[in-house]
Amino acid sequence: MFNKPEYTRFLPHYQPKGSIFFVTFRLQGSLPRTFFDRLSDWYQTEKEGILLEANAALREQALYLLQRDYFRKLDASLDQCLCGATHLANPIIAGKITEQLRRFDHQWYRLLAYTIMPNHVHVLLDFSIQSDKTAYVSLSEVMNRIKGASARNAHLALGKTGAFWQPEYHDRYIRNQRHLLAAVDYIKQNVVTANICAHWREHPFTWIHEDFW
């Protein structure tokens, strides 16, 4: 259903084939609905103003910065863990997530980096490994598989039922090398800025491909 390169459910998505994607997904109920509504209203208001810009280059840059600011506001709130469960702080549950992130590594994507926070996950996936674009497996399909299997496994470990992940996820495709390095650095530093540990290497569920050490 969502194999088109661009679609919108609750969040905007642009997913060019063969790109590198920085993806964030979170636990069900990890943000108050009121916060999300305010954030969405702010985003839409700002976007409407930007779309009035006649200069295409300026408009594109402004939209890029708006999406960046949207993500930063979202992630800063998640880091506070003010709402909902923090199941991913449990090493057993974090291990279940890691298993699924690695499951399709070198099959549908190359896994470049990830960090598992108490209530959300950041992951960097390189889809350029898929050379056959006619049989291309999209980011949306991959995320459905990762989230579906990890939710089932986590529920078994916790002895719980019901929704585990929030239905939506946030993704941004990597535009250039500078953007890529910034995304890797963000993943490295998230556990530090959230005061989980003093250095990313101290966190057992933050992993960075050796190409970026």
Side-chain angles (χ1 to χ4, degrees):
M1 180 178 180
F2 297 116
N3 286 329
K4 295 180 180 179
E6 184 171 13
Y7 67 89
T8 299
R9 290 179 68 194
F10 308 111
L11 296 173
H13 298 265
Y14 182 60
Q15 301 176 354
K17 288 184 176 181
S19 295
I20 300 174
F21 299 100
F22 180 21
V23 184
T24 298
F25 53 110
R26 61 189 178 92
L27 292 179
Q28 172 77 18
S30 51
L31 287 174
R33 185 71 239 183
T34 51
F35 167 84
F36 201 79
D37 287 343
R38 288 196 302 271
L39 183 63
S40 297
D41 288 345
W42 167 81
Y43 177 87
Q44 291 301 328
T45 299
E46 294 295 318
K47 181 179 178 181
E48 289 172 6
I50 291 171
L51 292 177
L52 297 175
E53 169 61 56
N55 186 296
L58 292 177
R59 186 169 64 247
E60 182 178 356
Q61 177 65 10
L63 286 171
Y64 169 79
L65 294 175
L66 176 63
Q67 291 166 3
R68 182 200 64 184
D69 292 344
Y70 176 99
F71 169 77
R72 288 181 176 179
K73 290 176 184 290
L74 178 77
D75 200 45
S77 182
L78 286 171
D79 285 346
Q80 296 178 57
C81 296
L82 298 178
C83 182
T86 55
H87 295 313
L88 308 187
N90 181 333
I92 294 175
I93 305 305
K96 303 295 184 185
I97 312 308
T98 301
E99 288 174 5
Q100 295 307 314
L101 294 177
R102 295 189 175 279
R103 180 181 176 188
F104 305 114
D105 187 20
H106 291 95
Q107 178 183 353
W108 293 336
Y109 55 73
R110 191 164 69 104
L111 184 61
L112 300 183
Y114 64 78
T115 188
I116 301 177
M117 305 293 285
N119 61 2
H120 65 289
V121 178
H122 298 304
V123 61
L124 194 60
L125 305 173
D126 180 3
F127 276 65
S128 66
I129 195 172
Q130 294 191 56
S131 57
D132 183 0
K133 297 301 186 289
T134 60
Y136 186 80
V137 178
S138 69
L139 175 63
S140 59
E141 183 174 347
V142 165
M143 290 306 301
N144 285 340
R145 289 177 177 245
I146 289 173
K147 292 173 69 179
S150 61
R152 288 191 296 273
N153 294 340
H155 275 147
L156 286 173
L158 293 168
K160 294 181 178 293
T161 59
F164 187 78
W165 298 113
Q166 195 71 23
E168 190 56 284
Y169 60 90
H170 183 279
D171 64 87
R172 299 186 71 191
Y173 84 95
I174 301 299
R175 291 162 170 78
N176 50 45
Q177 183 70 10
R178 181 179 178 183
H179 192 191
L180 174 61
L181 295 177
V184 171
D185 189 62
Y186 192 97
I187 289 174
K188 283 182 180 178
Q189 297 305 318
N190 199 188
V191 289
V192 178
T193 56
N195 296 313
I196 293 175
C197 55
H199 192 280
W200 70 269
R201 291 184 184 273
E202 299 173 8
H203 188 245
F205 295 101
T206 295
W207 177 85
I208 307 296
H209 193 281
E210 62 183 10
D211 288 353
F212 302 102
W213 288 0

